[in-house]
Amino acid sequence: MNFRRGSRNGEPEINLIPLIDVVLVIIIFLMLTTTFSRVSGLEIRLPTAEPESAEAVANEIAVVVTAAGEVLVDGQPVSGRDVGATAAALAKAGARAAGAQRPPVVVINADARTAHQRVIDVMQAAQQAGLAHITFATQTPLE
């Protein structure tokens, strides 16, 4: 049975519309799955350590964080372990160093085995005390 009307000897026809549709879908798929590299907008100055001893700065506040998590501000232990107590001690030390021409610098000297959270707490306490300049003490590796 032949249900087709017309002749069978016609020329074959190439339809480009489905080909264009497939190419567009592939292009859209590639655009959606491509990852773009993003440059961070955060500028970070990494600390450098020099083997020579640097000059002592007159208006620096030395903060020591021990391996047990105890905090000492200018050699005086902080009574509480919370951020507020550390901020109060830093504000008191900052008031003593406020007479200098330059703003005081908080130098954080943390033990290598100190919990990272304690160092972050000291940084947050310095922010609460209004001390914007923070640096970290380093030492040269032993060979």
Side-chain angles (χ1 to χ4, degrees):
M1 289 175 106
N2 189 5
F3 294 112
R4 199 179 245 192
R5 293 183 185 173
S7 66
R8 290 186 167 200
N9 346 353
E11 289 186 30
E13 181 181 324
I14 297 176
N15 194 355
L16 293 178
I17 294 175
L19 178 66
I20 293 172
D21 289 344
V22 169
V23 169
L24 286 176
V25 168
I26 291 173
I27 289 173
I28 291 171
F29 175 76
L30 289 175
M31 286 175 46
L32 292 177
T33 58
T34 302
T35 58
F36 298 100
S37 64
R38 246 179 215 214
V39 177
S40 175
L42 185 66
E43 286 188 32
I44 298 174
R45 277 196 235 169
L46 297 176
T48 59
E50 297 178 7
E52 300 173 11
S53 63
E55 295 179 16
V57 179
N59 59 344
E60 73 178 23
I61 301 169
V63 179
V64 177
V65 183
T66 64
E70 300 167 352
V71 177
L72 294 108
V73 176
D74 283 338
Q76 303 296 323
V78 177
S79 60
R81 290 184 66 93
D82 61 336
V83 176
T86 308
L90 284 171
K92 184 193 249 185
R96 284 192 304 257
Q101 292 177 350
R102 295 185 304 178
V105 177
V106 178
V107 179
I108 300 174
N109 187 358
D111 191 275
R113 294 176 300 274
T114 302
H116 185 67
Q117 182 63 47
R118 292 300 293 155
V119 176
I120 298 298
D121 289 345
V122 170
M123 292 172 64
Q124 185 178 6
Q127 180 186 18
Q128 287 179 2
L131 302 169
H133 301 285
I134 300 173
T135 186
F136 295 92
T138 60
Q139 72 178 28
T140 56
L142 299 174
E143 295 191 31

